[in-house]
């Protein structure tokens, strides 16, 4: 069973799929790549939109997609979530609707130097909403964080670390991911797919790593 933990396949929600037709084709491509389940994680930016508005838009988008795929039982299951941008005070918002039915929430950290409030917010969200925080594309913070920053983050054992499949295509990020796996951290994979061209579903690129590292909950 392969799960895509990070995918922008809901139509017209963000900078991902531009149409229902594109969303269907993205799911078909994931199906061919042996993906059984997709976490639909459109961007949620607290400074741009309130939770209720986001959830209303997401429901409309999801229903449109469901109608389009109703007759194709072979496509991956789609579970609703969000890629939630982490900011100060986020844990004081009602984030329950942004959590998946599986009990996770995908959090995107700021692309800036590490600050202690980030870990505070992750911990507060975890305990307040009884949810597992999945930290999006952790390898993308290598240019911003020092070794000590990562050590502080990884000390929070309740967190799961999501890796973009593309990380295996570059030596520096590949070595970083391999180190996490060898050290026993909880790692899951995501396509972070946005379209069918430059950011297309790409689980075909990681099949050998799924075999090499069976502990990956892909």
């Amino acid at each position: 069973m392969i799960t895509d933990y990070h995918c922008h396949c809901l139509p017209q929600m963000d900078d991902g799929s531009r149409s229902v037709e594109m969303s269907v084709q993205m799911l078909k491509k994931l199906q061919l790549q042996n993906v059984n389940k997709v976490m639909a994680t459109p961007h949620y930016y607290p400074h741009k939109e309130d939770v209720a508005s986001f959830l209303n838009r997401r429901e409309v988008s999801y229903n449109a997609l469901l109608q389009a795929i109703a007759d194709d039982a072979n496509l991956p299951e789609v579970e609703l979530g969000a890629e939630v941008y982490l900011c100060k005070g986020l844990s004081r918002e009602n984030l329950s609707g942004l959590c998946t039915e599986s009990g996770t929430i995908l959090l995107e950290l700021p692309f800036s130097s590490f600050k202690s409030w980030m870990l505070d917010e992750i911990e507060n969200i975890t305990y307040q909403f009884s949810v597992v925080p999945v930290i999006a594309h952790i390898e993308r913070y290598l240019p911003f964080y020092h070794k000590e920053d990562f050590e502080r983050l990884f000390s929070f054992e309740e967190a799961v670390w999501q890796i973009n499949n593309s990380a295996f295509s570059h030596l520096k990020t590949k070595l970083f991911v391999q180190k996490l796996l060898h050290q026993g951290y909880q790692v899951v994979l995501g396509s972070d797919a946005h379209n069918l061209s430059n950011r297309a579903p790409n689980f075909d690129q990681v099949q050998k790593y799924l075999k090499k590292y069976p502990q990956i909950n892909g």
Side-chain angles (χ1 to χ4, degrees):
M1 300 291 289
I2 298 177
T3 297
D4 185 348
Y5 278 85
H6 186 166
C7 188
H8 297 265
C9 61
L10 289 185
Q12 299 179 325
M13 275 297 297
D14 54 12
D15 58 341
S17 172
R18 310 313 297 169
S19 66
V20 172
E21 293 74 21
M22 178 180 286
S23 296
V24 173
Q25 291 304 312
M26 290 172 71
L27 292 177
K28 287 184 176 180
K29 197 160 190 176
L30 286 165
Q31 176 194 2
L32 293 174
Q33 296 169 4
N34 299 317
V35 173
N36 309 98
K37 186 175 184 178
V38 177
M39 299 295 192
T41 53
H43 286 287
Y44 172 66
Y45 298 108
H47 56 286
K48 293 183 178 180
E49 185 177 18
D50 60 43
V51 174
S53 173
F54 174 84
L55 293 178
N56 286 334
R57 289 197 304 114
R58 191 183 68 175
E59 182 178 7
V60 172
S61 176
Y62 180 58
N63 287 337
L65 178 59
L66 284 184
Q67 185 175 356
I69 64 175
D71 296 328
D72 195 338
N74 294 318
L75 291 179
E77 174 190 354
V78 178
E79 183 170 339
L80 288 177
E83 182 179 4
V84 183
Y85 186 78
L86 192 74
C87 59
K88 275 188 177 182
L90 180 65
S91 58
R92 294 195 293 269
E93 302 293 328
N94 183 2
L95 305 178
S96 56
L98 304 178
C99 302
T100 68
E101 289 186 359
S102 301
T104 64
I105 186 169
L106 185 68
L107 299 173
E108 180 182 34
L109 307 184
F111 289 97
S112 60
S113 58
F114 178 79
K115 301 291 191 304
S116 59
W117 67 260
M118 298 177 187
L119 185 55
D120 292 340
E121 289 291 341
I122 294 171
E123 292 178 349
N124 290 341
I125 290 168
T126 300
Y127 300 129
Q128 183 171 341
F129 297 98
S130 300
V131 70
V132 175
V134 180
I135 309 305
H137 41 57
I138 188 63
E139 79 283 354
R140 291 177 64 183
Y141 302 101
L142 280 170
F144 304 98
Y145 293 179
H146 298 293
K147 178 182 177 182
E148 295 75 18
D149 300 329
F150 281 113
E151 288 176 349
R152 288 193 63 191
L153 271 177
F154 295 149
S155 69
F156 188 53
E157 296 181 354
E158 285 81 356
V160 171
W161 312 99
Q162 185 259 308
I163 303 296
N164 279 6
N165 296 337
S166 58
F168 289 98
S169 301
H170 307 281
L171 180 59
K172 186 175 182 178
T173 50
K174 178 181 176 180
L175 293 174
F176 176 75
V177 174
Q178 290 176 328
K179 185 176 180 180
L180 293 184
L181 291 167
H182 289 312
Q183 292 179 342
Y185 290 107
Q186 296 185 71
V187 172
V188 296
L189 297 180
S191 66
D192 200 0
H194 281 62
N195 51 49
L196 293 166
S197 53
N198 62 320
R199 300 189 69 177
N202 57 358
F203 270 85
D204 54 330
Q205 299 176 12
V206 296
Q207 296 297 324
K208 66 178 181 180
Y209 297 107
L210 288 169
K211 294 178 181 178
K212 184 175 181 180
Y213 302 105
Q215 70 269 38
I216 295 179
N217 187 18

